[in-house]
């Protein structure tokens, strides 16, 4: 298990390191064009390809979608209360503290812990979280959220299209799937290198500025796990589904939260610093699951 986990994480950390070097030496990550390419092309293609590649029935998929949406509602409510008590702007920090890194972190971790049979469950949960980034996340950071905008959202359309094709048992031709795979493959590397660039260019005046990211780094995985465990008391899932759900909800702050914070002028530097620290906490949770 440790070998598989390290095999999954070393490429991620390597891409962050490459981004850090490029961010210090070049202007490749300056501006919003690159993040715009990822959010409008890469993410929808990755999402649709993932949904169409899953070996799941429409009813199993619907149950996981439902429980994940309910978890998002509960986690958002809890986090909003915490932010109000801390005297922080809810809209600025809510998306990063609610959304876990279920994609490039959660999926490899679930595979390492539970094997290939867990991948379908992990991808469904990750798909819902990705849609939430572009609905709840953008709505909070931009201050605009409408049904019309949601229905024009690329990831939302990709998930709807994938669900319809699954229900009709229609599999697109091989070249179409290959095209989606190629377009989606740009997403994770670019996001991780953007994160590394931001971390490399962080400027903090003292240790006091580290306190809030440190608190957030523990809150995101541990609160996510606690809310998920409480929810399973009301909505019991089968053994493997429940385990994957708990692990996914306990993942670190998502890289996408950083990308959106950059695009909509949110607290990008704090989020960038929170991501690697919360990753360590999430790995601790993963190790605990492996021993449990």
């Amino acid at each position: 298990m440790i070998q598989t986990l390290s095999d999954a994480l070393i490429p991620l950390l390597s891409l962050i390191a490459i981004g850090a070097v490029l961010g210090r030496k070049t202007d490749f990550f300056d501006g919003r064009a690159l993040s715009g390419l990822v959010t409008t092309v890469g993410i929808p293609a990755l999402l649709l390809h993932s949904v169409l590649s899953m070996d799941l029935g429409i009813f199993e998929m619907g149950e996981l979608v439902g429980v994940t949406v309910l978890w998002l509602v509960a986690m958002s409510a809890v986090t909003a209360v915490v932010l109000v008590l801390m005297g922080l702007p809810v809209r600025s920090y809510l998306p990063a503290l609610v959304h876990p890194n279920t994609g490039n972190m959660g999926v490899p971790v679930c595979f390492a812990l539970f094997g290939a049979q867990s991948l379908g469950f992990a991808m469904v949960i990750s798909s819902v979280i990705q849609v939430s980034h572009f609905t709840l996340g953008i709505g909070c950071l931009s201050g605009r959220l409408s049904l019309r905008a949601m229905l024009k959202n690329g990831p939302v359309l990709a998930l709807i299209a994938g669900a319809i094709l699954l229900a009709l048992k229609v599999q697109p031709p091989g070249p179409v799937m290959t095209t989606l795979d190629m377009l989606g493959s740009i997403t994770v590397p670019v996001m991780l290198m953007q994160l590394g660039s931001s971390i490399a260019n962080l400027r903090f005046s003292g240790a006091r500025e580290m306190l809030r990211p440190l608190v957030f780094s523990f809150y995101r995985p541990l609160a996510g796990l606690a809310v998920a465990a409480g929810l399973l008391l009301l909505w019991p899932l089968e053994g493997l589904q429940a385990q994957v759900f708990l692990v996914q909800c306990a993942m670190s702050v998502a890289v996408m939260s950083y990308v959106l914070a950059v695009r909509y002028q949110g607290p990008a530097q704090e989020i960038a610093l929170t991501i690697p620290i919360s990753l360590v906490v999430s790995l601790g949770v993963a190790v605990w699951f492996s021993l449990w």
Side-chain angles (χ1 to χ4, degrees), residues 186-199:
I186 69 173
T187 306
V188 172
V190 172
M191 288 167 58
L192 290 171
M193 287 190 289
Q194 280 184 304
L195 171 63
S197 174
S198 179
I199 293 173

Side-chain angles (χ1 to χ4, degrees), residues 7-289:
D7 288 346
L9 292 177
I10 287 175
L12 308 185
L13 298 176
S14 299
L15 285 170
I16 292 174
I18 291 171
V21 173
L22 293 176
R24 297 285 290 182
K25 302 294 185 180
T26 72
D27 60 356
F28 292 166
F29 303 105
D30 295 346
R32 296 162 56 182
L34 193 58
S35 61
L37 175 65
V38 170
T39 55
T40 58
V41 177
I43 286 292
L46 178 64
L47 193 53
L48 183 56
H49 182 270
S50 299
V51 170
L52 295 175
S53 300
M54 293 184 304
D55 185 20
L56 276 182
I58 190 65
F59 294 108
E60 286 181 296
M61 179 179 172
E63 183 178 34
L64 273 179
V65 168
V67 72
T68 305
V69 169
L70 190 57
W71 176 85
L72 282 167
V73 172
M75 186 66 181
S76 297
V78 171
T79 303
V81 172
V82 170
L83 289 171
V84 169
L85 293 175
M86 293 178 67
L88 297 174
V90 174
R91 275 181 26 204
S92 298
Y93 291 96
L94 184 72
L97 296 181
V98 168
H99 296 129
N101 190 348
T102 53
N104 56 340
M105 177 70 180
V107 171
V109 167
C110 287
F111 177 78
L113 292 176
F114 311 119
Q117 66 271 22
S118 68
L119 289 179
F121 302 138
M123 289 305 303
V124 171
I125 296 169
S126 180
S127 298
V128 177
I129 298 299
Q130 292 294 342
V131 170
S132 183
H133 276 298
F134 289 87
T135 51
L136 174 66
I138 289 180
C140 285
L141 290 169
S142 69
R144 299 186 302 274
L145 180 62
S146 68
L147 181 60
R148 178 178 297 181
M150 189 181 302
L151 293 177
K152 291 181 179 179
N153 187 277
V156 174
L157 295 175
L159 187 62
I160 292 173
I164 292 173
L165 292 174
L166 282 180
L168 297 176
K169 297 183 179 180
V170 174
Q171 182 69 19
V176 174
M177 293 295 290
T178 301
T179 301
L180 291 173
D181 186 29
M182 293 175 67
L183 288 173
S185 295
I186 69 173
T187 306
V188 172
V190 172
M191 288 167 58
L192 290 171
M193 287 190 289
Q194 280 184 304
L195 171 63
S197 174
S198 179
I199 293 173
N201 289 289
L202 287 174
R203 294 290 183 270
F204 286 95
S205 59
R208 186 176 179 180
E209 294 187 35
M210 290 285 295
L211 180 59
R212 190 183 296 165
L214 187 62
V215 172
F216 289 163
S217 297
F218 280 88
Y219 174 83
R220 160 80 287 290
L222 299 182
L225 179 62
V227 172
L231 185 57
L232 287 181
L233 297 176
L234 304 174
W235 190 324
L237 296 174
E238 295 181 4
L240 182 59
Q241 285 179 307
Q243 290 176 314
V244 171
F245 178 65
L246 288 170
V247 169
Q248 287 284 57
C249 292
M251 287 296 98
S252 58
V253 174
V255 179
M256 180 56 68
S257 294
Y258 163 73
V259 174
L260 294 178
V262 171
R263 186 171 185 181
Y264 293 99
Q265 290 78 53
Q269 285 205 2
E270 282 185 295
I271 293 173
L273 186 59
T274 302
I275 289 173
I277 304 174
S278 64
L279 188 147
V280 175
V281 179
S282 294
L283 287 180
V285 173
V287 171
W288 177 77
F289 265 92

